[in-house]
Amino acid sequence: MTTNPTASTPGPGPGPGSGQDPTANPGDTSTTSDDTGGPVTEGPPTSGTTTTTTDDPTDGSSTDRTPCNRYIECVAVTNPGGLLDAQEDFGEASACWTGTPADAELCITACKAGLAQGHALAPDEPACFECASDDECDVGGGEACVEGNCEVPTPGAAVQPIGNTYCIECHVQGGSASGWFILTEDVAYDNIVNQPALGAPLLLVAPGDHQSSYLWHRVNGSHLEVGGSGPQMPPGAPLPQDVIDEIAACLDQGAPP
């Protein structure tokens, strides 16, 4: 990817000692331009003004700094002129990590906002990805790392590619199975969800219940047990079990479009 070293990458906002709320508007960092055109963020204080609290005597040094580390890496690639400021505001020596846990969380929140902006400006730059693996996301909250972003994946988002890989050769206009149903992305949902199966007393896809979905039985090889006929699909080359399980999971989660 070609980057412009003088292009301004929005900073994540001021640190906890700046007197500003870094969560109010992460894109407005009250920056001034340096000689390279990069942002100069107003980061946390370097001395004397760190907030203290009697509620929690521990500091923020044990906080997971991954978002701020990623933000600094993003700035290094997309706007080298702003790297020094990013390091001073959110790097190892920053007051973010010598204050209270609340101070550290403010910095983490600000870095996440800045990283999201960097990712939006340079979506193909891995250094600006919010995450590299699922364990960097809120897995307990249902998040996964999807194309560099932590988000709750749409159930069944991977199922259409399964159809494209294993089924579309026949289930396409003019294909050998076009008389049954078409599985191209523009019509697949309407053609199979809540539609009756031909030759079996089931729906092709019954949202919320893969056991009541003939499509799943047909790829699982259990279609004869529910009144169906013919060979397991795809013919001659059954799907891998993990793919069959992925289809089942999608159907059980409601088979959303």
Short mmCIF file of all heavy atoms in Angstrom, two decimals, residues 138-170:
data_model
loop_
_atom_site.label_atom_id
_atom_site.label_comp_id
_atom_site.label_asym_id
_atom_site.label_seq_id
_atom_site.Cartn_x
_atom_site.Cartn_y
_atom_site.Cartn_z
N ASP A 138 -13.51 -8.79 22.59
CA ASP A 138 -14.34 -9.19 23.73
C ASP A 138 -15.07 -10.47 23.37
O ASP A 138 -16.24 -10.47 22.98
CB ASP A 138 -15.34 -8.06 24.05
CG ASP A 138 -16.23 -8.39 25.23
OD1 ASP A 138 -15.96 -9.40 25.92
OD2 ASP A 138 -17.21 -7.65 25.45
N VAL A 139 -14.35 -11.59 23.49
CA VAL A 139 -14.91 -12.88 23.10
C VAL A 139 -16.13 -13.20 23.96
O VAL A 139 -17.14 -13.74 23.46
CB VAL A 139 -13.85 -13.99 23.23
CG1 VAL A 139 -14.45 -15.35 22.88
CG2 VAL A 139 -12.66 -13.70 22.32
N GLY A 140 -16.07 -12.85 25.24
CA GLY A 140 -17.21 -13.09 26.12
C GLY A 140 -18.45 -12.35 25.70
O GLY A 140 -19.58 -12.78 25.96
N GLY A 141 -18.26 -11.21 25.02
CA GLY A 141 -19.38 -10.43 24.51
C GLY A 141 -19.80 -10.82 23.12
O GLY A 141 -20.64 -10.15 22.50
N GLY A 142 -19.20 -11.90 22.61
CA GLY A 142 -19.59 -12.40 21.29
C GLY A 142 -18.78 -11.81 20.15
O GLY A 142 -19.07 -12.10 18.98
N GLU A 143 -17.76 -11.00 20.46
CA GLU A 143 -16.97 -10.38 19.39
C GLU A 143 -15.97 -11.36 18.80
O GLU A 143 -15.51 -12.28 19.46
CB GLU A 143 -16.22 -9.15 19.91
CG GLU A 143 -17.09 -7.95 20.17
CD GLU A 143 -16.27 -6.71 20.51
OE1 GLU A 143 -15.08 -6.85 20.83
OE2 GLU A 143 -16.84 -5.61 20.47
N ALA A 144 -15.62 -11.11 17.56
CA ALA A 144 -14.56 -11.83 16.88
C ALA A 144 -13.80 -10.83 16.02
O ALA A 144 -14.29 -9.73 15.75
CB ALA A 144 -15.12 -12.96 16.02
N CYS A 145 -12.60 -11.20 15.63
CA CYS A 145 -11.80 -10.32 14.78
C CYS A 145 -12.21 -10.57 13.33
O CYS A 145 -11.94 -11.64 12.77
CB CYS A 145 -10.31 -10.60 14.97
SG CYS A 145 -9.24 -9.42 14.12
N VAL A 146 -12.92 -9.61 12.74
CA VAL A 146 -13.43 -9.74 11.38
C VAL A 146 -12.82 -8.65 10.52
O VAL A 146 -13.11 -7.47 10.71
CB VAL A 146 -14.97 -9.64 11.34
CG1 VAL A 146 -15.48 -9.79 9.91
CG2 VAL A 146 -15.61 -10.68 12.25
N GLU A 147 -11.95 -9.04 9.59
CA GLU A 147 -11.29 -8.10 8.69
C GLU A 147 -10.63 -6.95 9.44
O GLU A 147 -10.73 -5.78 9.05
CB GLU A 147 -12.29 -7.56 7.65
CG GLU A 147 -12.84 -8.65 6.73
CD GLU A 147 -13.77 -8.10 5.67
OE1 GLU A 147 -14.10 -6.90 5.74
OE2 GLU A 147 -14.16 -8.87 4.78
N GLY A 148 -9.98 -7.29 10.54
CA GLY A 148 -9.22 -6.29 11.29
C GLY A 148 -10.03 -5.52 12.31
O GLY A 148 -9.48 -4.67 13.02
N ASN A 149 -11.32 -5.79 12.43
CA ASN A 149 -12.17 -5.09 13.39
C ASN A 149 -12.75 -6.08 14.39
O ASN A 149 -13.11 -7.20 14.03
CB ASN A 149 -13.34 -4.38 12.70
CG ASN A 149 -12.90 -3.14 11.96
OD1 ASN A 149 -12.10 -2.36 12.46
ND2 ASN A 149 -13.40 -2.96 10.75
N CYS A 150 -12.86 -5.64 15.66
CA CYS A 150 -13.56 -6.44 16.66
C CYS A 150 -15.05 -6.15 16.52
O CYS A 150 -15.49 -5.01 16.72
CB CYS A 150 -13.09 -6.09 18.07
SG CYS A 150 -11.45 -6.71 18.48
N GLU A 151 -15.82 -7.15 16.18
CA GLU A 151 -17.26 -6.95 16.03
C GLU A 151 -17.98 -8.27 16.25
O GLU A 151 -17.37 -9.34 16.22
CB GLU A 151 -17.58 -6.41 14.63
CG GLU A 151 -17.10 -7.29 13.49
CD GLU A 151 -17.29 -6.66 12.12
OE1 GLU A 151 -16.82 -5.53 11.92
OE2 GLU A 151 -17.92 -7.30 11.27
N VAL A 152 -19.26 -8.16 16.53
CA VAL A 152 -20.08 -9.37 16.68
C VAL A 152 -20.44 -9.83 15.28
O VAL A 152 -21.13 -9.12 14.54
CB VAL A 152 -21.36 -9.08 17.48
CG1 VAL A 152 -22.23 -10.33 17.58
CG2 VAL A 152 -21.01 -8.57 18.88
N PRO A 153 -19.92 -11.00 14.85
CA PRO A 153 -20.17 -11.42 13.48
C PRO A 153 -21.64 -11.71 13.22
O PRO A 153 -22.37 -12.15 14.12
CB PRO A 153 -19.33 -12.69 13.33
CG PRO A 153 -18.75 -12.99 14.65
CD PRO A 153 -19.16 -11.93 15.63
N THR A 154 -22.07 -11.43 12.03
CA THR A 154 -23.42 -11.78 11.62
C THR A 154 -23.52 -13.29 11.53
O THR A 154 -22.70 -13.91 10.84
CB THR A 154 -23.76 -11.18 10.26
OG1 THR A 154 -23.65 -9.76 10.35
CG2 THR A 154 -25.17 -11.56 9.82
N PRO A 155 -24.45 -13.92 12.25
CA PRO A 155 -24.56 -15.38 12.16
C PRO A 155 -24.73 -15.80 10.71
O PRO A 155 -25.54 -15.26 9.97
CB PRO A 155 -25.82 -15.69 12.98
CG PRO A 155 -25.94 -14.54 13.91
CD PRO A 155 -25.44 -13.35 13.16
N GLY A 156 -23.94 -16.79 10.31
CA GLY A 156 -24.06 -17.30 8.96
C GLY A 156 -23.34 -16.49 7.92
O GLY A 156 -23.50 -16.74 6.73
N ALA A 157 -22.55 -15.51 8.35
CA ALA A 157 -21.85 -14.67 7.39
C ALA A 157 -20.95 -15.48 6.48
O ALA A 157 -20.66 -15.09 5.36
CB ALA A 157 -21.05 -13.60 8.12
N ALA A 158 -20.46 -16.63 6.98
CA ALA A 158 -19.54 -17.44 6.19
C ALA A 158 -20.26 -18.50 5.35
O ALA A 158 -19.63 -19.25 4.63
CB ALA A 158 -18.53 -18.12 7.10
N VAL A 159 -21.59 -18.58 5.43
CA VAL A 159 -22.30 -19.66 4.76
C VAL A 159 -22.41 -19.44 3.26
O VAL A 159 -22.29 -20.38 2.47
CB VAL A 159 -23.69 -19.87 5.39
CG1 VAL A 159 -24.52 -20.83 4.57
CG2 VAL A 159 -23.53 -20.39 6.81
N GLN A 160 -22.63 -18.19 2.81
CA GLN A 160 -22.69 -17.95 1.37
C GLN A 160 -21.39 -18.35 0.67
O GLN A 160 -21.43 -18.99 -0.38
CB GLN A 160 -23.03 -16.49 1.07
CG GLN A 160 -23.20 -16.19 -0.42
CD GLN A 160 -24.36 -16.95 -1.06
OE1 GLN A 160 -25.43 -17.05 -0.47
NE2 GLN A 160 -24.13 -17.50 -2.25
N PRO A 161 -20.21 -18.02 1.25
CA PRO A 161 -18.99 -18.53 0.62
C PRO A 161 -18.93 -20.05 0.54
O PRO A 161 -18.34 -20.60 -0.39
CB PRO A 161 -17.88 -17.99 1.54
CG PRO A 161 -18.45 -16.73 2.11
CD PRO A 161 -19.91 -17.03 2.31
N ILE A 162 -19.56 -20.74 1.50
CA ILE A 162 -19.62 -22.20 1.43
C ILE A 162 -20.42 -22.61 0.20
O ILE A 162 -20.00 -23.48 -0.58
CB ILE A 162 -20.27 -22.79 2.70
CG1 ILE A 162 -19.35 -22.59 3.90
CG2 ILE A 162 -20.58 -24.28 2.51
CD1 ILE A 162 -19.97 -23.00 5.23
N GLY A 163 -21.56 -21.95 0.00
CA GLY A 163 -22.36 -22.24 -1.19
C GLY A 163 -21.60 -21.92 -2.47
O GLY A 163 -21.67 -22.67 -3.46
N ASN A 164 -20.86 -20.80 -2.45
CA ASN A 164 -20.09 -20.42 -3.64
C ASN A 164 -19.01 -21.45 -3.96
O ASN A 164 -18.70 -21.71 -5.12
CB ASN A 164 -19.43 -19.06 -3.41
CG ASN A 164 -20.44 -17.94 -3.32
OD1 ASN A 164 -21.60 -18.09 -3.69
ND2 ASN A 164 -20.01 -16.80 -2.80
N THR A 165 -18.45 -22.05 -2.91
CA THR A 165 -17.36 -23.01 -3.10
C THR A 165 -17.86 -24.39 -3.51
O THR A 165 -17.31 -25.02 -4.42
CB THR A 165 -16.53 -23.14 -1.81
OG1 THR A 165 -15.98 -21.87 -1.48
CG2 THR A 165 -15.40 -24.15 -1.97
N TYR A 166 -18.93 -24.84 -2.85
CA TYR A 166 -19.32 -26.23 -3.02
C TYR A 166 -20.59 -26.46 -3.85
O TYR A 166 -20.81 -27.57 -4.33
CB TYR A 166 -19.54 -26.88 -1.64
CG TYR A 166 -18.31 -26.96 -0.79
CD1 TYR A 166 -18.09 -26.04 0.23
CD2 TYR A 166 -17.35 -27.95 -0.99
CE1 TYR A 166 -16.96 -26.11 1.04
CE2 TYR A 166 -16.22 -28.02 -0.19
CZ TYR A 166 -16.03 -27.10 0.82
OH TYR A 166 -14.90 -27.17 1.61
N CYS A 167 -21.42 -25.42 -4.01
CA CYS A 167 -22.75 -25.67 -4.57
C CYS A 167 -23.05 -24.90 -5.85
O CYS A 167 -23.90 -25.31 -6.65
CB CYS A 167 -23.83 -25.30 -3.54
SG CYS A 167 -23.57 -26.02 -1.90
N ILE A 168 -22.39 -23.78 -6.02
CA ILE A 168 -22.80 -22.84 -7.06
C ILE A 168 -22.59 -23.39 -8.46
O ILE A 168 -23.26 -22.97 -9.41
CB ILE A 168 -22.05 -21.50 -6.88
CG1 ILE A 168 -22.90 -20.34 -7.42
CG2 ILE A 168 -20.69 -21.54 -7.54
CD1 ILE A 168 -24.08 -20.03 -6.56
N GLU A 169 -21.68 -24.33 -8.61
CA GLU A 169 -21.42 -24.87 -9.94
C GLU A 169 -22.67 -25.49 -10.55
O GLU A 169 -22.91 -25.38 -11.76
CB GLU A 169 -20.29 -25.92 -9.87
CG GLU A 169 -19.94 -26.51 -11.23
CD GLU A 169 -18.79 -27.51 -11.15
OE1 GLU A 169 -18.16 -27.60 -10.07
OE2 GLU A 169 -18.54 -28.19 -12.15
N CYS A 170 -23.48 -26.12 -9.71
CA CYS A 170 -24.72 -26.74 -10.19
C CYS A 170 -25.95 -25.86 -9.95
O CYS A 170 -26.84 -25.80 -10.79
CB CYS A 170 -24.92 -28.10 -9.52
SG CYS A 170 -23.62 -29.30 -9.87
#
